[in-house]
Amino acid sequence: MTDRLEVSEMKLLRGDIIETLYRTYGTDIRIAAIRNALRSKGLLPEEQLKKCIYYLGGEGKRYIHVEVNQGNWMDSLAWLNPVGVNLAEGDKDDVGVIFDEGQARNSLEVTERKMLRGAVIETLYKTYGTDIRIAVLRNALRSKGLILEDELKKCIFYLGGEQKEFTHVEVNQENWLDSLIWLNPVGVNLAEGDRDDMGVILNE
């Protein structure tokens, strides 16, 4: 018979991994760094961590993506997919993932992030048919106040990520703010109200 306590601990660990990747969203981090971030849970065996990663990135879940380092698995890079963001923000549940009750989901910060994603979609809809630089997009959003580059990057990663693909970005490797961005047709559907996304709030 399965040890229920052990099962609960594994579900909590999966939640901790999602939370860790949500805090670093927009940056790929090594699995070794995830393990270090979870050191308050005690020494985490590599095999146990690997099982959690396999679950979260497996078929039918795809909450995370892993670029595997064949030489050293702990040096593999991991990041959240947009559906993993939905899970972290409380818009999606998974029977195999438990979040600590003390962790704030559906907080004011999360709502503001969803509204910023909506503002990005609406701005790109107004310029649809023209590729614009991300720096221009940022300037167009200045009515929302000063938007940090890191926060804007998180929004754009979400909107253009796997299973969403509302936007497309031609990345400028020298200066990310000089990258070109535009709406994909499915992003037009979102802007026109014919499609919903739990991670995006549009103006009424």
Side-chain angles (χ1 to χ4, degrees), residues 18 25 33 50 55 61 65 102 129 176 192:
I18 291 291
Y25 188 57
K50 186 176 288 189
Y55 178 92
K61 303 296 181 181
H65 181 88
W176 183 78
E192 293 179 345

Side-chain angles (χ1 to χ4, degrees), residues 36-191:
N36 289 338
L38 297 173
R39 60 184 178 274
S40 63
K41 307 291 179 181
L43 180 61
L44 185 60
E46 181 177 336
E47 193 60 33
Q48 191 177 12
L49 179 60
K50 186 176 288 189
K51 288 178 181 178
C52 289
I53 296 288
Y54 282 176
Y55 178 92
L56 295 170
E59 194 69 34
K61 303 296 181 181
R62 305 288 186 186
Y63 300 128
I64 67 173
H65 181 88
V66 177
E67 286 290 333
V68 177
N69 183 312
Q70 300 293 345
N72 183 354
W73 185 78
M74 294 297 287
D75 282 336
S76 301
L77 294 174
W79 61 86
L80 278 189
N81 284 328
V83 70
V85 172
N86 297 146
L87 184 64
E89 292 180 347
D91 295 309
K92 184 180 181 70
D93 292 310
D94 187 286
V95 293
V97 180
I98 297 176
F99 292 93
D100 285 341
E101 292 183 4
Q103 293 170 339
R105 303 171 80 198
N106 287 319
S107 64
L108 177 60
E109 180 183 349
V110 168
T111 299
E112 289 175 346
R113 195 164 283 163
K114 291 179 181 181
M115 291 179 71
L116 179 56
R117 294 173 194 147
V120 168
I121 290 292
E122 290 166 340
T123 302
L124 291 175
Y125 182 69
K126 290 173 185 173
T127 62
Y128 188 56
T130 304
D131 311 340
I132 66 171
R133 291 165 54 242
I134 290 176
V136 174
L137 171 64
R138 186 187 188 188
N139 288 339
L141 295 169
R142 61 183 177 273
S143 63
K144 308 291 180 184
L146 178 62
I147 298 173
L148 298 177
E149 180 178 340
D150 184 58
E151 197 61 35
L152 182 58
K153 186 177 287 188
K154 289 177 182 180
C155 289
I156 289 174
F157 281 178
Y158 176 91
L159 294 170
E162 184 179 335
Q163 301 163 315
K164 303 292 182 181
E165 299 175 355
F166 299 125
T167 62
H168 183 86
V169 176
E170 286 289 337
V171 178
N172 184 310
Q173 299 293 346
E174 294 182 2
N175 184 355
W176 183 78
L177 286 170
D178 283 334
S179 302
L180 294 175
I181 185 170
W182 61 87
L183 277 188
N184 285 329
V186 70
V188 174
N189 297 148
L190 182 64

